[in-house]
Amino acid sequence: MARYVIGDVQGCFDQLEQLLRLIQFNPQQDQLWFCGDLIARGPKSLQTLRFVKDLGAAAITVLGNHDLNFLASLHGYGRITAADLLDELLQAPDLAELAGWLQQQPLLHFDAKENLLLVHAGLAPEWDIPTAIEACRAVEDCLLSDAASLYAIMYGNQPELWSEARNEQDKLRFTINSCTRMRYCFADGRLELKQKGELSDNPLLTPWFHFWSDREHPTIFFGHWAALQGYSPVSAIHALDTGCVWGQALTCYCIESQQRFSVAGYEKRL
């Protein structure tokens, strides 16, 4: 058995198929771990979602910001744009089934036995691992019990600190921001949710993973930050989004062999 952690697919189903042929993926023996953002911006979100859902226990995925925005839009929140290329998915006869399955996926996957953690964007500096797991479970419970109410309060950049959360809604929003949107933090651990692009030389900003560099932590796999091109300087924290939807590459990491495999990214035709 081999487990492969795959960066943001974002509807690039052809590239996913190429990658799986490259690694000779066998769904009877192997398992795929997806870093979230299965859909949006690429041309084949519907096919991607159907494929991953049909893998059953051969796939583990966590929710990304594009996944959550899509789900929120189905409840009247969020905003789907033409650039998301989701019309085919939104018109699919199995839309409700696919959305229901996606809504059941976690924000965070933690393998306690092997000390492995999968998340889309990152973990807030204020958290320890038990706090992160508990915070994510609260979001996951809401997705199962009252998703519409969660989507109604999900958007926004406040609070910037976990310790400044005044109520349960603040905690839920902070958790989603940390796990699906964050790239940088300020020196005191406040989330900075606007900066994108390559590693910034702004002395006021610190990549979230640097806060974990001198702490004991699981082996962490994350996506979301395509501009890193798979680079993380912190030991046992692996960046997997290599910008497939932007024409760069789709990458996976084999947990057992500690090898990376990549295929060329999606080429948008004008």
Side-chain angles (χ1 to χ4, degrees), residues 132-205:
I133 292 171
E134 182 179 0
C136 288
R137 282 180 179 164
V139 173
E140 293 154 13
D141 287 346
C142 287
L143 286 170
L144 295 176
S145 63
D146 190 7
S149 294
L150 176 67
Y151 300 139
I153 60 91
M154 181 175 73
Y155 294 93
N157 295 343
Q158 302 295 325
E160 296 175 342
L161 285 171
W162 177 251
S163 56
E164 291 182 351
R166 298 167 298 174
N167 50 46
E168 190 62 23
Q169 291 185 352
D170 280 357
K171 290 183 177 181
L172 294 169
R173 189 183 308 109
F174 179 92
T175 300
I176 289 171
N177 285 342
S178 173
C179 292
T180 72
R181 296 181 59 204
M182 173 184 65
R183 293 181 178 90
Y184 288 100
C185 299
F186 295 104
D188 61 356
R190 291 178 183 273
L191 306 189
E192 198 289 327
L193 298 171
K194 297 180 180 179
Q195 184 75 26
K196 298 182 180 181
E198 299 175 0
L199 286 175
S200 173
D201 57 4
N202 185 337
L204 300 178
L205 300 179

Side-chain angles (χ1 to χ4, degrees), residues 198-270:
E198 299 175 0
L199 286 175
S200 173
D201 57 4
N202 185 337
L204 300 178
L205 300 179
T206 301
W208 70 267
F209 41 79
H210 281 303
F211 288 89
W212 293 81
S213 62
D214 59 354
R215 302 161 59 180
E216 288 190 16
H217 60 78
T219 298
I220 299 173
F221 303 99
F222 74 101
H224 185 56
W225 200 341
L228 292 180
Q229 281 297 288
Y231 170 72
S232 166
V234 180
S235 176
I237 298 184
H238 300 276
L240 272 304
D241 183 5
T242 50
C244 181
V245 78
W246 307 115
Q248 293 161 356
L250 182 64
T251 296
C252 72
Y253 174 93
C254 180
I255 293 173
E256 281 67 34
S257 69
Q258 301 182 27
Q259 292 178 286
R260 288 186 178 230
F261 303 87
S262 297
V263 297
Y266 166 60
E267 291 186 17
K268 187 174 181 179
R269 290 166 176 77
L270 300 178

Side-chain angles (χ1 to χ4, degrees), residues 26-173:
N26 182 345
Q28 306 304 317
Q29 298 178 356
D30 304 328
Q31 191 175 59
L32 306 178
W33 290 23
F34 291 94
C35 289
D37 278 0
L38 291 177
I39 62 173
R41 301 295 177 91
K44 295 187 177 181
S45 289
L46 174 60
Q47 293 90 329
T48 301
L49 208 51
R50 284 175 174 165
F51 174 77
V52 178
K53 175 182 175 293
D54 288 346
L55 283 174
I60 291 172
T61 187
V62 293
L63 291 166
N65 53 302
H66 285 289
D67 304 320
L68 283 170
N69 186 63
F70 161 71
L71 291 170
S73 74
L74 299 180
H75 291 77
Y77 303 99
R79 188 169 67 93
I80 298 297
T81 69
D84 290 316
L85 300 181
L86 289 175
D87 285 351
E88 186 181 18
L89 174 56
L90 291 169
Q91 296 167 14
D94 52 347
L95 171 62
E97 180 183 352
L98 292 169
W101 172 82
L102 187 61
Q103 195 164 272
Q104 294 174 51
Q105 304 315 302
L107 271 188
L108 177 152
H109 172 71
F110 180 57
D111 182 329
K113 182 178 180 180
E114 297 194 44
N115 207 27
L116 305 172
L117 189 148
L118 177 70
V119 68
H120 179 60
L123 300 176
E126 284 183 282
W127 285 344
D128 55 21
I129 299 303
T131 301
I133 292 171
E134 182 179 0
C136 288
R137 282 180 179 164
V139 173
E140 293 154 13
D141 287 346
C142 287
L143 286 170
L144 295 176
S145 63
D146 190 7
S149 294
L150 176 67
Y151 300 139
I153 60 91
M154 181 175 73
Y155 294 93
N157 295 343
Q158 302 295 325
E160 296 175 342
L161 285 171
W162 177 251
S163 56
E164 291 182 351
R166 298 167 298 174
N167 50 46
E168 190 62 23
Q169 291 185 352
D170 280 357
K171 290 183 177 181
L172 294 169
R173 189 183 308 109

Side-chain angles (χ1 to χ4, degrees), residues 1-21:
M1 173 183 174
R3 291 164 295 176
Y4 298 93
V5 190
I6 301 178
D8 302 27
V9 178
Q10 291 197 238
C12 297
F13 184 61
D14 292 347
Q15 287 68 34
L16 176 60
E17 287 192 310
Q18 292 170 22
L19 183 61
L20 298 188
R21 286 195 295 269

